[in-house]
Amino acid sequence: MARPGAAHGAQDGQRGFVAEAFHELRSPLATIRTLVETSPVPGRDDELLLGEVARMQRLVEDLLTLAQADAGGLMLTREEVDLDDLVHAEARRLRAIGVAPVTSSIQATRVIGDAGRLAQVLRNLADNAAQHTSGGVQLQVRQERGEAILTVDDDADPVPPGLREAVFGRFARLPGARAARPAGTGLGLAVVRELVARHGGTVTAGVSDQGSCRFEVRLPAAGQGVQDGGNASGSASPGSCR
């Protein structure tokens, strides 16, 4: 029988190996993307290829984040971050790629955290919304009673109440969601939950003011004190948000 210490050591080694493997996948995917962008071939559907490469890159980034978290190697910087600037940038990105109409309501809001990881949170939520909307995505950020509140809405049906925790699970799929939304990886919201918890905040699935799908992130505003959160996991709706 294996000793408990040996078993834990093997698990840690495996997690480290997985994290390193996903890290190494970044380079060849970037090379493929560059080749497609700079070396057009007559008759080749470059738009399709670039879309698939981008999907693989998102998957690798999400898998790497979760693997690093499991292995205890997910490191965050701690600095003042203008959350409103990140929302401005994400709104510009969505408009540039033209996936859906984008509206935004942005107030000056500052938190303490890792700007890159918070941008990853925002991008995952925005991509999730864009995959499920037919009418548009709305981004909002504001500061209220010592909290930074970020909401991402789309016009799909809200996640059903009984599934609003499960929607954040790894590879979670609601009934019918895989067939309806093949572009999703089932990891984006799990990464959001992990990173938000590491910033001392919470993320929930709910209902927008218009009765449609909303994801809401609450973080301590700068000056309120930030505590490291623990690991968290958590899953969306057919025709709704996932």
Side-chain angles (χ1 to χ4, degrees):
M1 179 186 241
R3 292 170 297 158
H8 284 303
Q11 290 175 352
D12 290 343
Q14 184 179 39
R15 288 171 184 150
F17 171 79
V18 170
E20 185 63 25
F22 288 133
H23 180 76
E24 290 300 320
L25 282 171
R26 284 169 153 176
S27 181
L29 283 171
T31 300
I32 293 171
R33 184 179 190 119
T34 300
L35 287 173
V36 173
E37 290 174 335
T38 60
S39 303
V41 174
R44 187 177 69 189
D45 191 337
D46 286 352
E47 184 176 348
L48 175 62
L49 285 175
L50 287 172
E52 288 300 300
V53 171
R55 182 174 178 234
M56 285 296 298
Q57 287 178 316
R58 290 195 301 271
L59 176 59
V60 167
E61 288 300 321
D62 287 344
L63 286 169
L64 177 58
T65 297
L66 294 173
Q68 289 173 329
D70 289 345
L74 182 59
M75 306 301 293
L76 301 181
T77 61
R78 295 292 181 190
E79 60 185 0
E80 288 195 351
V81 178
D82 290 314
L83 199 56
D84 48 302
D85 287 348
L86 298 184
V87 175
H88 270 300
E90 185 58 31
R92 288 197 302 270
R93 183 189 74 91
L94 287 177
R95 292 180 183 121
I97 61 179
V99 293
V102 181
T103 58
S104 58
S105 174
I106 301 173
Q107 298 178 9
T109 308
R110 183 169 289 184
V111 298
I112 303 297
D114 187 310
R117 292 302 188 180
L118 290 171
Q120 187 177 5
V121 165
L122 184 56
R123 175 164 295 196
N124 282 8
L125 289 175
D127 283 345
N128 178 73
Q131 289 167 10
H132 295 88
T133 189
S134 57
V137 175
Q138 181 174 4
L139 308 177
Q140 182 182 86
V141 64
R142 68 188 191 277
Q143 187 167 322
E144 186 177 289
R145 291 191 291 275
E147 284 189 310
I149 303 173
L150 167 69
T151 60
V152 179
D153 300 347
D154 62 68
D155 65 351
D157 293 336
V159 177
L163 297 175
R164 288 178 186 171
E165 179 62 27
V167 74
F168 295 100
R170 299 181 185 188
F171 295 110
R173 299 282 184 177
L174 297 187
R178 180 183 294 275
R181 301 292 180 182
T185 65
L187 286 175
L189 295 179
V191 169
V192 168
R193 170 66 65 88
E194 183 73 49
L195 293 177
V196 169
R198 297 288 178 120
H199 283 82
T202 61
V203 58
T204 55
V207 183
S208 73
D209 297 339
Q210 289 72 40
S212 59
C213 181
R214 165 171 290 179
F215 283 90
E216 180 178 274
V217 173
R218 289 177 176 260
L219 297 166
Q224 301 303 310
V226 180
Q227 296 180 346
D228 283 332
N231 290 348
S233 57
S235 329
S237 158
S240 70
C241 298
R242 191 156 175 73

